[in-house]
Amino acid sequence: MTSLRRRRRVFYCFVALLITLGTVAGGIVAVVVGPSGQPLPVVLDALGDGARSVVFGESYPRDPAHTIVLDIRLPRVLLGCLVGASLALAGAVMQALFQNAMADPYIVGVSGGAALGAVAAMMLNIQLRIAGFTAVPILAFAGALAATVTVYVLAQRGGRVHTATLLLTGIAIGSLVSAITSFLMLSRDELQPGVIFWLLGSLSGRSWLHVYALLPQLVIGLVVAVVMARPLNVLVLGDEAALNLGLDVQRTKRWLLALSALLAASAVAVSGIIGFVGLIIPHVCRLIVGPDHRVLLPISALAGALLLVLADIPARMALAPTELPIGIITSLLGCPFFLYLLHRQGTRGL
Amino acid sequence: MTGPEPPFFECRDLHMAYDRVEVLSGVSLSLYSGDFVGIIGPNGSGKSTLLRGLSGALHPASGQVLLAGRPVHRMRARDRARLVGVVQQHSPLSFAFSVRDMVAMGRHAHLGLMQGLGSHDREAVAWALERTDCAELADRPVTELSGGELQRVVIARALAQEPRALLLDEPTNHLDINHQLEIGRLLLSLNSERGMTVIWVSHDLNLAAEFCRRIVLVSEGFIVGDGAPEDVITEDRLTELYGTRVPVRKNPLTGRPHVVLTAQEVGAE
């Protein structure tokens, strides 16, 4: 019995290691390939210089190779990791909160609110700059949080929030907001391609600024995820069962909802609405490592990072020099794999 | 000298409602530590609601439930769970936890946020698995269990809480008679060996009569009978309550009342 547990633990570590190695390898490939191909030695050299400058404060030569590797491609790879991890983590938490396989990080209005904010910024040509960010990410973030808060407040009945009510309120507010978004989009035809590109999600043209903007939320998210993993296990047994086991259900839900909405809103603000990652990655991970959130949450975060780093390579390369929205690639890559797992799982389902 | 022992559960003029539809209409009831109580009554009489009131899962519309002298719905969930374990009627399970992990969740109320299972926690889990005959299921996923096995696992989880009282809502529903009896006997031995208070909601009158020392009869939101099985489960009262005449005899082995179900319509004697 104990040996079985130990074997499981070894298996979890093996899976985590495999995903991490895959992400690092994918990241290196992503830095190497591109319109101006940088040979591997040059890349490694530049990465070494970059690391030394961070650790020892040494300066490195400001040549094009260094700039491309350190200021364009590396932050993009890291941002992919952070966005993927945030979305997958938020998705795993939302699925547990709602005990619903259809739940994703955007379920309580995050995507609708973000879309409205971003589209308003573009269509109304709002000029705004806060801490280096333009109007689109700022309004997307604000819209996402505003929509989430609205949904939560409307779903409340006497200080309690029922899961089904929250879900349906999210859907209702989502369609209301998307109606306004569509109306705005119709008002200025010529801007539509850019809007659609943003709506499908992209890591194009992002910088260290975006990495720094997302990093704190993800760190907080990971810490909370570790601390809240056991309560989350109890929560998926159902509200009343969880209450009977001694969990303060309402408070736990409030915290987890706030956390995952913040993660999703931050991710959307820097990368647009990248679909699929937050919905499917937690399912895939659950099929591989099981439902225990102490394992599932960190593995989901890692796997989300891996998927986005890998997906961003064809997003940049497939139609180079034109970029593809990364959401298209995540669906194309992830869907067959997920269907395969689902099929192999047989009648047991999720 | 100690005075008379205060009740472990006390309902004071308890009213309970779902969306303003009143289900319990003024229940006053004292249940004592070490009791073995059956709550019986027709479908929709309010017996499950009474149980949810006792556990604190549902807030009273008015009146009060005291658990060990404190208002139950004001207690922290954690403190309640250390005193009372609940076996609910439906346990939706879509997540494939192993039986052992599932039962270990019974320890939640005894653990700090970041605290792992200690040696006492492991003992409690092992004990709960053993008492419910679940030890050999420990590594199976709960999603693959039969109804009877799952019911035992849910009881094991409540036992792992090491509660002083166990509230059970139709724990023998949909089970074969051997499993029904196993669960009844398990509850009986927990009650006699550990002094565990057992509150058992059942619509099976014979099972309740056989195992419980005290029967509370609920009908249309009121308590209409309370006492020893032979005083509560009587032909006249059941006829009035269920609207059909059912003969009540004595179980020849135990002397407990036994409701005889017959195809013949039985007229008043």
Side-chain angles (χ1 to χ4, degrees):
Chain A
M1 282 184 315
T2 352
S3 78
L4 188 102
R5 308 212 101 194
R6 196 165 300 138
R7 245 181 299 155
R8 284 213 73 86
R9 205 161 293 170
V10 171
F11 172 70
Y12 297 147
C13 293
F14 173 73
V15 172
L17 188 71
L18 208 64
I19 301 175
T20 311
L21 287 178
T23 313
V24 171
I28 291 176
V29 171
V31 177
V32 170
V33 302
S36 75
Q38 300 294 331
L40 188 59
V42 173
V43 167
L44 293 179
D45 222 34
L47 288 178
D49 286 348
R52 269 195 299 281
S53 91
V54 171
V55 179
F56 305 114
E58 291 174 16
S59 61
Y60 52 83
R62 292 272 160 200
D63 55 28
H66 277 81
T67 306
I68 288 173
V69 170
L70 292 179
D71 289 339
I72 297 174
R73 293 194 189 156
L74 182 61
R76 181 165 178 159
V77 167
L78 290 179
L79 187 67
C81 289
L82 298 186
V83 168
S86 302
L87 290 177
L89 188 59
V93 171
M94 290 287 195
Q95 282 168 11
L97 268 180
F98 287 96
Q99 293 151 50
N100 187 320
M102 297 291 291
D104 74 359
Y106 305 137
I107 196 160
V108 282
V110 169
S111 55
L116 179 59
V119 168
M122 292 185 230
M123 294 296 173
L124 308 176
N125 198 17
I126 295 172
Q127 297 301 318
L128 188 69
R129 266 195 112 74
I130 301 177
F133 288 101
T134 56
V136 172
I138 293 168
L139 288 187
F141 183 71
L145 287 190
T148 305
V149 170
T150 309
V151 168
Y152 188 82
V153 169
L154 287 178
Q156 242 172 358
R157 295 273 177 289
R160 285 166 166 257
V161 169
H162 285 280
T163 310
T165 319
L166 193 63
L167 201 71
L168 290 173
T169 313
I171 291 169
I173 292 292
S175 51
L176 176 74
V177 166
S178 95
I180 304 172
T181 309
S182 305
F183 176 75
L184 280 176
M185 280 171 72
L186 285 173
S187 66
R188 308 242 331 247
D189 278 351
E190 74 279 10
L191 291 178
Q192 276 187 17
V195 170
I196 289 169
F197 196 80
W198 188 89
L199 288 180
L200 285 169
S202 171
L203 297 171
S204 148
R206 308 302 199 270
S207 65
W208 284 106
L209 182 68
H210 298 89
V211 174
Y212 298 143
L214 187 51
L215 189 60
Q217 286 90 310
L218 181 61
V219 170
I220 295 170
L222 283 169
V223 170
V224 175
V226 170
V227 174
M228 297 295 271
R230 194 157 40 81
L232 215 48
N233 284 345
V234 174
L235 195 64
V236 299
L237 303 177
D239 284 11
E240 191 164 334
L243 189 70
N244 288 332
L245 288 172
L247 184 71
D248 186 337
V249 172
Q250 291 296 323
R251 201 183 56 173
T252 307
K253 279 189 179 178
R254 220 160 26 234
W255 274 102
L256 288 172
L257 196 65
L259 169 81
S260 34
L262 177 70
L263 271 178
S266 312
V268 166
V270 297
S271 65
I273 302 167
I274 300 176
F276 193 82
V277 181
L279 176 66
I280 300 301
I281 286 288
H283 284 310
V284 171
C285 293
R286 209 174 285 118
L287 289 174
I288 295 171
V289 298
D292 188 340
H293 289 89
R294 288 172 295 184
V295 181
L296 179 65
L297 294 180
I299 293 283
S300 292
L302 283 175
L306 172 67
L307 178 61
L308 272 208
V309 167
L310 292 185
D312 196 37
I313 300 172
R316 283 167 47 215
M317 302 300 293
L319 295 181
T322 313
E323 295 232 3
L324 270 177
I326 193 169
I328 293 177
I329 311 291
T330 53
S331 300
L332 282 180
L333 275 180
C335 229
F337 180 57
F338 178 59
L339 288 175
Y340 159 73
L341 279 179
L342 208 54
H343 183 71
R344 207 191 57 172
Q345 185 76 1
T347 50
R348 261 197 290 167
L350 293 174
Chain B
M1 281 294 288
T2 52
E5 193 201 354
F8 192 64
F9 289 103
E10 188 181 1
C11 303
R12 291 180 177 167
D13 191 28
L14 179 66
H15 291 253
M16 305 274 281
Y18 296 100
D19 286 329
R20 293 198 202 92
V21 178
E22 195 161 79
V23 180
L24 285 186
S25 320
V27 165
S28 294
L29 181 68
S30 294
L31 303 170
Y32 292 89
S33 215
D35 257 353
F36 196 121
V37 183
I39 300 179
I40 60 173
N43 289 335
S45 57
K47 50 192 192 302
S48 295
T49 308
L50 176 57
L51 200 77
R52 298 179 74 204
L54 293 175
S55 73
L58 200 64
H59 286 206
S62 71
Q64 238 184 357
V65 178
L66 302 179
L67 169 58
R70 296 156 66 193
V72 70
H73 67 276
R74 293 232 194 84
M75 289 172 74
R76 294 194 311 161
R78 221 178 138 68
D79 296 335
R80 280 200 307 246
R82 290 173 175 207
L83 292 175
V84 179
V86 183
V87 176
Q88 287 168 252
Q89 204 172 142
H90 304 288
S91 312
L93 288 172
S94 40
F95 290 78
F97 290 105
S98 75
V99 167
R100 185 193 311 280
D101 285 347
M102 184 67 139
V103 173
M105 287 187 211
R107 298 305 295 167
H108 179 78
H110 296 271
L111 296 172
L113 257 191
M114 292 290 285
Q115 201 181 344
L117 294 181
S119 62
H120 177 74
D121 301 303
R122 285 182 208 288
E123 278 166 29
V125 171
W127 170 77
L129 284 169
E130 177 148 357
R131 275 323 293 265
T132 50
D133 264 333
C134 289
E136 72 279 14
L137 303 176
D139 293 313
R140 300 250 309 269
V142 288
T143 40
E144 290 174 10
L145 301 179
S146 72
E149 290 169 333
L150 186 57
Q151 192 59 272
R152 270 152 49 203
V153 170
V154 175
I155 294 176
R157 191 178 71 198
L159 288 183
Q161 287 174 247
E162 297 183 301
R164 283 172 56 197
L166 210 49
L167 304 180
L168 307 103
D169 194 356
E170 308 272 13
T172 57
N173 238 2
H174 311 303
L175 298 188
D176 289 337
I177 44 172
N178 53 332
H179 291 128
Q180 295 186 11
L181 292 172
E182 269 167 28
I183 285 177
R185 286 171 191 150
L186 167 66
L187 296 177
L188 212 50
S189 67
L190 288 168
N191 177 258
S192 58
E193 288 162 23
R194 298 203 135 210
M196 194 177 282
T197 313
V198 177
I199 318 287
W200 179 353
V201 165
S202 175
H203 67 249
D204 188 326
L205 304 175
N206 286 334
L207 217 50
E210 204 53 39
F211 286 100
C212 301
R213 272 198 300 279
R214 177 180 167 191
I215 297 284
V216 172
L217 185 56
V218 183
S219 173
E220 295 180 347
F222 294 99
I223 290 181
V224 295
D226 185 355
E230 54 273 23
D231 298 331
V232 176
I233 301 179
T234 61
E235 220 164 283
D236 289 342
R237 188 160 323 174
L238 294 188
T239 302
E240 191 188 321
L241 223 64
Y242 289 89
T244 180
R245 182 153 277 280
V246 278
V248 176
R249 299 287 179 267
K250 264 191 180 179
N251 182 334
L253 300 175
T254 59
R256 302 276 186 139
H258 187 87
V259 179
V260 183
L261 304 179
T262 68
Q264 302 165 16
E265 289 211 29
V266 185
E269 282 161 33

